[in-house]
Amino acid sequence: MSVIAEGKLKLLDAALKLIPRSRSLTSLGLRELAREAGLNPNTFYRHFSGIEDFGLFVLEHVAKEVKQQVRLLRKTAASQGQATQDTVGFVFGYFLKNPAVVHVALQELHGASPRLRQAMRDQLDASAREMAEDVMERGLAPGLAPDAVHEISRNTIRHVLMRGFDYIECPAQRDAIQAETERFILRQFVGAIAEQEAPDIMARLQQRG
Amino acid sequence: MSVIAEGKLKLLDAALKLIPRSRSLTSLGLRELAREAGLNPNTFYRHFSGIEDFGLFVLEHVAKEVKQQVRLLRKTAASQGQATQDTVGFVFGYFLKNPAVVHVALQELHGASPRLRQAMRDQLDASAREMAEDVMERGLAPGLAPDAVHEISRNTIRHVLMRGFDYIECPAQRDAIQAETERFILRQFVGAIAEQEAPDIMARLQQRG
DNA sequence: CCCGCTTGTATACGGCTGTATACTTGATTA
DNA sequence: TAATCAAGTATACAGCCGTATACAAGCGGG
């Protein structure tokens, strides 16, 4: 036991292959999947009760892979002094090699299945927590309240995911997108620190609320 | 002429009614739409060549309505000194009354149809330009480069849309989401100004890149 | 050795879908 | 008033879909 059946893996691969075309995962046809996997449609039922069940399985698999990448990223970042642009570059590079990750994430995050949405949210929150920890441990945001770091991390994760989509889609603008994303991240941290420590700037914007 | 046929409007209404359930718009069945509209399936073909064509029509309609809301918002904002929280509250209130707008926007923005994606992008960019103009005309971001204002506006529009989804979905956390969104917007502007004018803060973060 | 379990297959059925063809109706307009 | 045309309907058909039932092959443990 504990070894995953061949057909189950084939269905997973088929899904990852089909997602860039059809997006939503929940809208993937069961027969379509089986066809792509070279299996009989009924094999699907040997492993999953329905499409949503299958979706959770796919999500779980993707999440595992992403976590592994994050761990790798943190390791290399800890050894050498890693800059924001290197990190963003690493992530976008990963997205480019695994577009299905981005597609499925964005799709299910706003998709029709509440269970898949929740699973995606949980996954993104976990990534955000990991990022926040990393930022704090490495002292990258000196003097910033932990709550603020967590909030910024959550915003950043989502934003990077969205821009990752653009990055995949618009090859001609990749440098610009990466630069914008880096500015975005930096601005959030700078803004949060200035909120605490530069009352003059805050005073000037006060009329906005 | 120039008056829109009854069936065409009925199909539009049906789509807006069905979108919250099925999301993606492109995945709406043609028969499903006709059923909801109380029409014969073939009536669809009297007005549209296919689902994508129909999607563009729906998007166009939604865009028109949103633009109208934005104009209304700018008017009331100009008369009384409008604060960020009022603006965010107004937008989220609108989203709450028209959830289909948020759903269709997020879905098609990352959806499978390139034409619909492009249409959504264009629409969001237009909204961002309008926001940027507003910010600059009202002098809300003193001393900030126009390019920066535009960039921040683009980021803000997307972010507000995403959080609008959460706002609709999680009634228990609406206040928190609104507060976070306001902080997000403020931080971007503060951060951009500090980039230009508070070199000490920048120096402290310099090691991040 | 054979029983039972897991994995995969074959066939089949009803339902829904997109779409083609042909008909009705009601308004416009020449 | 008669012709034209847009808008909506009726019927029909082939194709795909999810799923139910029944069967086959491999494999581990008694």
Side-chain angles (χ1 to χ4, degrees), chain A residues 18 83 85 132 136 154 197:
Chain A
L18 289 177
Q85 62 232 42
M136 293 190 294
R154 280 196 303 273
E197 308 185 12

Side-chain angles (χ1 to χ4, degrees), chain A residues 91-104:
Chain A
V91 173
F92 280 178
Y94 173 71
F95 285 169
L96 213 51
K97 281 183 294 187
N98 304 76
V101 169
V102 177
H103 291 324
V104 75

Side-chain angles (χ1 to χ4, degrees), chain B residues 81-123:
Chain B
Q82 188 90 339
T84 303
Q85 64 232 42
D86 297 327
T87 303
V88 174
F90 178 91
V91 173
F92 281 178
Y94 173 71
F95 285 169
L96 213 51
K97 281 183 293 185
N98 304 76
V101 168
V102 177
H103 291 325
V104 76
L106 283 173
Q107 198 67 35
E108 300 313 324
L109 191 58
H110 311 298
S113 157
R115 294 184 63 195
L116 285 179
R117 276 201 310 260
Q118 192 53 53
M120 259 318 302
R121 261 171 227 258
D122 292 347
Q123 188 49 39

Side-chain angles (χ1 to χ4, degrees), chain A residues 180 183-184 187 204-205 208, chain B residues 74 124-158 184-186 188-193 195-197:
Chain A
E180 277 181 26
R183 274 198 296 275
F184 171 88
R187 258 180 210 148
R204 265 201 290 163
L205 292 171
R208 300 189 84 250
Chain B
R74 285 186 72 170
L124 290 188
D125 280 352
S127 295
R129 249 173 319 211
E130 194 138 6
M131 171 180 162
E133 276 178 32
D134 202 49
V135 167
M136 293 190 294
E137 278 178 13
R138 294 166 62 197
L140 298 179
L144 205 49
D147 279 359
V149 176
H150 277 91
E151 189 173 313
I152 291 174
S153 296
R154 281 196 302 273
N155 289 338
T156 300
I157 292 288
R158 282 200 183 202
F184 171 87
I185 297 172
L186 188 60
Q188 288 220 116
F189 282 104
V190 172
I193 292 177
E195 273 177 17
Q196 297 181 8
E197 308 185 11

Side-chain angles (χ1 to χ4, degrees), chain A residues 77-89:
Chain A
S79 65
Q80 67 200 72
Q82 189 89 339
T84 302
Q85 62 232 42
D86 297 328
T87 304
V88 174

Side-chain angles (χ1 to χ4, degrees), chain A residues 21-23 82-85 106-107 109-112 117 121 135 139-142 148 151-152 154-155 158-159 162-163 165-166 169-170 180 183-195 197-198 201-202 204-205 207-209, chain B residues 21-23 82-85 106-107 109-112 117 121 135 139-142 148 151-152 154-155 158-159 162-163 165-166 169-170 180 183-195 197-198 201-202 204-205 207-209:
Chain A
R21 233 165 301 164
S22 140
R23 306 288 147 93
Q82 189 89 339
T84 302
Q85 62 232 42
L106 283 173
Q107 198 67 35
L109 191 58
H110 312 297
R117 277 201 310 260
R121 261 170 228 257
V135 166
L140 297 179
E151 188 173 313
I152 291 174
R154 280 196 303 273
N155 290 339
R158 282 199 181 201
H159 189 84
M162 273 200 339
R163 299 315 303 265
F165 186 92
D166 302 338
E169 268 230 315
C170 312
E180 277 181 26
R183 274 198 296 275
F184 171 88
I185 298 172
L186 187 60
R187 258 180 210 148
Q188 288 220 116
F189 282 105
V190 172
I193 292 178
E195 273 176 18
E197 308 185 12
I201 293 179
M202 292 306 291
R204 265 201 290 163
L205 292 171
Q207 55 190 348
R208 300 189 84 250
Chain B
R21 233 167 300 165
S22 141
R23 304 289 147 96
Q82 188 90 339
T84 303
Q85 64 232 42
L106 283 173
Q107 198 67 35
L109 191 58
H110 311 298
R117 276 201 310 260
R121 261 171 227 258
V135 167
L140 298 179
E151 189 173 313
I152 291 174
R154 281 196 302 273
N155 289 338
R158 282 200 183 202
H159 193 262
M162 274 199 339
R163 299 315 304 265
F165 186 91
D166 301 338
E169 268 229 317
C170 313
E180 278 181 26
R183 274 199 295 276
F184 171 87
I185 297 172
L186 188 60
R187 258 179 210 150
Q188 288 220 116
F189 282 104
V190 172
I193 292 177
E195 273 177 17
E197 308 185 11
I201 293 180
M202 291 307 291
R204 265 201 290 163
L205 291 171
Q207 56 191 342
R208 302 190 83 246

